[in-house]
């Protein structure tokens, strides 16, 4: 009876147990690294040939074979095998079948330890670029809505209580600020992702005279991982990315929560396009903001991925450990989740329609211009704390009468401060309130439009 093939070498007397084979294999999920594994292998092989380590005829065979492997993977005809465990061994096995001994020489001066983390960094670098593009697309959608509604007045809230009038455009620009910070963080994180570990081999480097700088240049890396032990065992770059992605999702979740509130009949501030909502199987009147709710929920997955990766790394000694195979699924899921959430959000925001009448009614219900009345009294020479107390008593009287502060007659307002004159009526309007906040960062329509112009200049073309 022929001996069953093992994955490794003559070191082992028996093949891997079938259950262990399934348990340790990663090929089911790391196939997405195939493109980057081929790119890394080509750069490695070309360096080996340039250094005189690999014969030129073998390089030609490897290039020819990997081109064939790439075509098979892209066409979906590649035979992925559990016996080969992961994407790297699957590709190497197929390459060797195609070109013989040349394929076996490809692994000279490298290990799967530096190979896998090189692939992962190449993949994540490209994914960050795609995520940044989707952040920009969402920013543009928010900026366009802010431009259309720079003067639309709505209540601003603290503690979910009506606080002061703001403009809808100003409110949306708050999320543009959050997303800009996200974009900045991801761009900075990308530079730390873009450091090449290849050449560290298993953990100590290699005895071959390799040219790591050449490989780094071919693959577009900005710098080399300087320490071989750290190079193969570091997953800081993945944790940092997940932390950045988690903040993106937290920001989307906050906006999701507002959309859920705003679309409810109790608020009625916005309408979402039908194509981003669902109905009920039993209640025909329902229009549910399911996309917003799902994004709010999916934020937990990305936050969880960050915690999972930090927990994965916290107890590992140097250098590489098999634990690190568990880095990929949380990282892959975090990337997929944030990309999908950003894409669907951009479309939903672009189609969102505010309801000015509902916003106006809410502003007029909450004594939103009380602070403006206090500021008015301060300008009349009254200390702010005294002005605050006078306005608080006026609000209490408005509540007793069941009207907004702005609806109190002048004679009644003067009971709380004789300094109040007829010009106060302009101060107590929502329009007067927002117009008065005419400084950088303020909610005045002119400032909103100026902020939009500045934000658009910051975005890549």
């Amino acid at each position: 009876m022929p001996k069953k093939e093992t994955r490794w070498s003559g070191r082992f007397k028996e093949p891997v147990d079938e259950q262990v084979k399934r348990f340790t294999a990663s090929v089911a999920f790391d196939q997405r690294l195939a493109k980057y594994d081929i790119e890394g292998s080509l750069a490695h092989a070309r360096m080996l040939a340039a250094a005189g380590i690999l014969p030129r005829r073998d390089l030609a065979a490897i290039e020819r074979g990997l081109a064939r492997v790439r075509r098979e993977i892209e066409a979906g005809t590649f035979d992925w095998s559990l016996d080969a465990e992961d994407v790297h061994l699957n590709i190497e096995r197929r390459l060797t079948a195609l070109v013989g001994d040349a394929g076996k020489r490809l692994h000279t001066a490298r290990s799967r330890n530096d190979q896998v983390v090189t692939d992962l960094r190449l993949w994540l670098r490209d994914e960050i670029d795609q995520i940044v593009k989707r952040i920009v697309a969402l920013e543009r959608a928010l900026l366009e809505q802010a431009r259309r509604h720079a003067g639309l007045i709505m209540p601003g809230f603290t503690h979910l209580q009506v606080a002061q009038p703001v403009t809808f455009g100003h409110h949306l620009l708050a999320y543009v600020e959050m997303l800009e910070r996200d974009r900045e963080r991801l761009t900075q994180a990308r530079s730390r992702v873009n450091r090449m570990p290849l050449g560290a081999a298993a953990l100590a480097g290699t005895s071959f005279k390799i040219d790591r700088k050449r490989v780094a240049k071919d693959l577009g890396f900005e710098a080399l991982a300087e320490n071989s032990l750290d190079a193969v065992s570091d997953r800081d770059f993945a944790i940092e990315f997940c932390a950045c992605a988690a903040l993106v999702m937290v920001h989307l979740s906050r906006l999701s929560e507002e959309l859920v509130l705003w679309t409810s009949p109790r608020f009625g501030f916005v309408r979402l396009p039908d194509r981003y909502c669902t109905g009920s199987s039993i209640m025909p009147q329902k229009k549910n903001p399911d996309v917003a709710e799902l994004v709010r929920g999916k934020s937990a997955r990305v936050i969880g991925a960050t915690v999972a990766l930090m927990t994965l790394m916290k107890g590992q000694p140097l250098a590489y450990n098999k634990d690190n195979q568990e880095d990929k699924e949380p990282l892959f899921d975090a990337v997929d989740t944030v990309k999908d959430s950003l894409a669907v959000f951009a479309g939903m925001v672009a189609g969102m329609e505010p309801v000015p009448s509902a916003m106006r009614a809410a502003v007029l219900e909450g004594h939103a211009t009380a602070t403006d009345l206090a500021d008015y009294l301060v300008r009349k020479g009254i200390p702010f704390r005294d002005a605050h107390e006078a306005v608080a008593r006026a609000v209490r009287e408005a509540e007793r009468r069941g009207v907004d502060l702005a609806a109190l007659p002048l004679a009644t307002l003067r009971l709380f401060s004789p300094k109040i004159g007829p010009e106060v009526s302009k101060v107590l309007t929502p329009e007067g309130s927002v117009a008065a906040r005419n400084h950088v960062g303020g909610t005045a329509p002119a400032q909103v439009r100026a902020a939009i112009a500045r934000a658009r200049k910051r975005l890549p073309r």
Side-chain angles (χ1 to χ4, degrees):
M1 181 176 179
K3 184 179 178 182
K4 190 170 183 180
E5 180 187 357
T6 66
R7 297 186 206 169
W8 313 116
S9 66
R11 168 67 178 81
F12 292 84
K13 294 188 295 184
E14 59 182 358
V16 177
D17 181 87
E18 287 298 314
Q19 187 174 12
V20 172
K21 186 188 298 183
R22 291 191 298 272
F23 185 72
T24 60
S26 60
V27 68
F29 53 82
D30 66 11
Q31 295 178 27
R32 67 172 70 194
L33 298 179
K35 169 188 172 184
Y36 304 94
D37 194 72
I38 291 170
E39 288 178 3
S41 291
L42 287 169
H44 180 68
R46 288 164 184 158
M47 179 276 294
L48 291 177
I53 300 168
L54 183 72
R56 287 285 174 181
R57 64 179 180 278
D58 285 347
L59 172 61
I62 288 169
E63 289 177 329
R64 183 176 67 253
L66 287 177
R68 170 77 177 271
V69 171
R70 188 196 298 271
R71 289 195 299 270
E72 290 177 358
I73 292 172
E74 291 174 350
T77 60
F78 188 86
D79 182 20
W80 296 102
S81 169
L82 192 66
D83 284 326
E85 187 182 22
D86 59 28
V87 61
H88 321 290
L89 288 182
N90 266 270
I91 290 175
E92 183 178 325
R93 185 192 67 166
R94 178 58 177 152
L95 175 66
T96 300
L98 290 170
V99 303
D101 285 351
K104 296 178 182 179
R105 294 191 178 98
L106 173 60
H107 209 52
T108 304
R110 75 175 183 184
S111 162
R112 275 195 306 167
N113 294 356
D114 61 345
Q115 182 182 1
V116 62
V117 71
T118 298
D119 294 356
L120 199 59
R121 285 175 179 268
L122 288 171
W123 171 81
L124 185 55
R125 182 182 71 187
D126 281 1
E127 293 296 335
I128 289 174
D129 291 343
Q130 293 304 310
I131 289 168
V132 166
K133 287 179 182 178
R134 295 188 185 198
I135 289 174
V136 170
L138 177 53
E139 286 188 81
R140 292 193 189 282
L142 287 165
L143 288 169
E144 178 56 23
Q145 285 282 16
R147 182 195 67 79
R148 291 181 200 163
H149 307 294
L152 175 58
I153 293 173
M154 66 175 291
F157 297 90
T158 61
H159 309 280
L160 209 55
Q161 305 294 313
V162 173
Q164 292 177 309
V166 297
T167 61
F168 189 48
H170 188 63
H171 194 112
L172 295 179
L173 286 180
Y175 287 100
V176 173
E177 291 293 311
M178 296 179 208
L179 290 166
E180 266 298 280
R181 293 194 295 272
D182 291 328
R183 188 166 71 92
E184 182 178 326
R185 271 187 289 269
L186 283 165
T187 300
Q188 292 171 348
R190 185 190 190 279
S191 69
R192 287 179 284 279
V193 170
N194 203 26
R195 296 175 185 175
M196 192 188 78
L198 200 62
L203 77 161
T206 176
S207 60
F208 291 94
K209 300 298 183 182
I210 59 173
D211 185 352
R212 295 185 70 205
K213 289 184 177 179
R214 175 194 171 110
V215 180
K217 183 178 180 181
D218 285 352
L219 293 174
F221 282 109
E222 297 173 29
L224 299 177
E226 293 282 346
N227 180 280
S228 61
L229 288 163
D230 181 59
V232 297
S233 62
D234 168 50
R235 294 299 183 273
D236 289 2
F237 68 94
I239 295 171
E240 183 179 7
F241 165 78
C242 284
C244 294
L247 274 172
V248 173
M249 293 302 296
V250 165
H251 296 150
L252 295 186
S253 184
R254 293 184 72 183
L255 182 51
S256 292
E257 173 65 8
E258 297 209 298
L259 291 176
V260 170
L261 290 172
W262 290 350
T263 56
S264 72
R266 288 294 174 264
F267 282 76
F269 287 179
V270 301
R271 299 188 186 96
L272 296 178
D274 288 352
R275 62 188 179 277
Y276 289 95
C277 300
T278 63
S280 166
S281 62
I282 189 172
M283 296 170 284
Q285 82 280 12
K286 295 294 294 296
K287 181 179 176 181
N288 299 324
D290 277 11
V291 168
E293 291 175 354
L294 267 175
V295 169
R296 186 177 60 185
K298 285 178 181 292
S299 64
R301 295 172 68 141
V302 183
I303 295 168
T306 309
V307 175
L309 288 179
M310 292 183 75
T311 307
L312 174 71
M313 296 304 300
K314 73 176 182 63
Q316 285 195 40
L318 290 174
Y320 181 83
N321 299 279
K322 189 65 171 178
D323 311 47
N324 285 346
Q325 182 172 295
E326 292 297 304
D327 64 354
K328 294 174 192 61
E329 288 181 285
L331 179 60
F332 292 165
D333 187 70
V335 166
D336 293 343
T337 300
V338 75
K339 282 173 65 178
D340 290 346
S341 298
L342 285 165
V344 74
F345 230 97
M348 183 169 62
V349 165
M352 176 177 62
E353 295 181 1
V355 182
S357 59
M359 292 181 177
R360 181 80 182 189
V363 168
L364 297 178
E365 285 180 352
H367 313 294
T369 56
T371 304
D372 297 274
L373 180 56
D375 290 346
Y376 167 86
L377 291 175
V378 168
R379 285 191 288 270
K380 292 280 188 174
I382 297 176
F384 180 79
R385 286 302 172 197
D386 293 340
H388 186 282
E389 177 61 23
V391 175
R393 287 187 284 110
V395 167
R396 188 166 59 199
E397 176 62 19
E399 288 180 342
R400 188 186 70 79
R401 297 188 184 197
V403 298
D404 187 68
L405 175 66
L408 288 177
L410 176 60
T412 302
L413 288 171
R414 288 179 62 83
L415 294 175
F416 303 104
S417 174
K419 296 276 190 177
I420 297 175
E423 72 280 5
V424 76
S425 59
K426 294 180 180 178
V427 172
L428 293 178
T429 65
E431 288 77 11
S433 176
V434 298
R437 286 151 174 80
N438 191 19
H439 55 77
V440 174
T443 190
Q447 291 297 331
V448 172
R449 294 185 182 97
I452 292 168
R454 291 193 300 271
R456 282 180 167 159
K457 285 182 180 179
R458 290 195 300 262
L459 293 180
R461 297 186 181 276

